[in-house]
């Protein structure tokens, strides 16, 4: 049982989600705005890992529908690797092909205004991805 942090690494924002201490439920916690200072952004992630006492960080990677690794996925895997050198906890990647779509849909169902939706969609996408990862682990499947 472990607490995990999920990251949705966008070009403009990083959505952050965290699991409960039982590792069952993912909740969106915040959106970090990209500043162009990669080191500072990763320090902010490290601070969240410390604050939540997370034991693993899960980075969503948008694999192509055929499972191949496109340019965007490569960029995220590279950043996940960078994060891994900076953080004191393991960093894993998880397929997030459909998370932003799912997050948008969930928010639309809540009848949230477009502008408000844009503000939170990254952290909701992070929580959708993290939830999928948690459920995959709970099912005892290899991750």
């Amino acid at each position: 049982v472990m607490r995990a942090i999920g990251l949705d690494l966008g070009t403009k924002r990083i959505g952050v989600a965290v699991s409960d201490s039982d590792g069952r439920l993912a909740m969106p916690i915040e959106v970090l705005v990209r500043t162009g200072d990669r080191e500072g952004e990763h320090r902010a992630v490290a601070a969240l890992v410390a604050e939540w006492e997370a034991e693993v960080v899960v980075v969503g990677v948008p694999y192509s529908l055929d499972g191949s690794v496109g340019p965007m996925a490569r960029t995220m895997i590279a950043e996940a690797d960078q994060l891994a050198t900076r953080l004191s906890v393991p960093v894993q990647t998880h397929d997030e092909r459909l998370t932003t779509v799912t997050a948008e849909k969930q928010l639309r169902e809540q009848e949230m205004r477009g502008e408000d939706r844009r503000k939170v969609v990254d952290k909701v996408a992070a929580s959708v991805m993290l939830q999928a990862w948690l459920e995959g682990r709970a099912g005892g499947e290899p991750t």
Side-chain angles (χ1 to χ4, degrees), residues 2-140:
M2 59 168 93
R3 191 188 291 274
I5 278 185
L7 301 178
D8 181 73
L9 301 173
T11 48
K12 296 193 176 74
R13 289 174 297 277
I14 301 175
V16 187
V18 68
S19 74
D20 58 6
S21 54
D22 292 343
R24 291 210 183 108
L25 196 66
M27 307 159 279
I29 50 170
E30 75 177 274
V31 176
L32 302 170
V33 177
R34 292 275 197 188
T35 57
D37 168 15
R38 177 65 59 90
E39 210 157 287
E41 291 161 4
H42 289 181
R43 269 200 302 276
V45 170
L48 286 167
V49 168
E51 182 188 334
W52 289 94
E53 298 178 348
E55 291 156 89
V56 62
V57 170
V58 186
V59 173
V61 172
Y63 292 99
S64 307
L65 288 175
D66 62 3
S68 65
V69 180
M72 192 68 184
R74 258 199 299 280
T75 304
M76 295 194 185
I77 291 167
E79 186 168 355
D81 290 344
Q82 270 183 351
L83 267 168
T85 61
R86 156 136 297 187
L87 301 174
S88 54
V89 299
V91 175
Q92 296 195 8
T93 55
H94 185 76
D95 186 357
E96 63 145 31
R97 269 172 285 201
L98 304 170
T99 53
T100 307
V101 178
T102 309
E104 279 279 359
K105 191 166 149 277
Q106 283 182 7
L107 293 170
R108 268 202 303 276
E109 283 164 7
Q110 293 168 21
E111 295 178 8
M112 190 179 273
R113 290 205 335 274
E115 193 182 324
D116 297 333
R117 214 162 50 221
R118 269 192 300 282
K119 283 187 198 132
V120 300
V121 69
D122 304 287
K123 64 181 177 181
V124 174
S127 74
V128 170
M129 181 278 301
L130 183 58
Q131 189 67 47
W133 181 84
L134 292 168
E135 284 165 11
R137 273 182 76 249

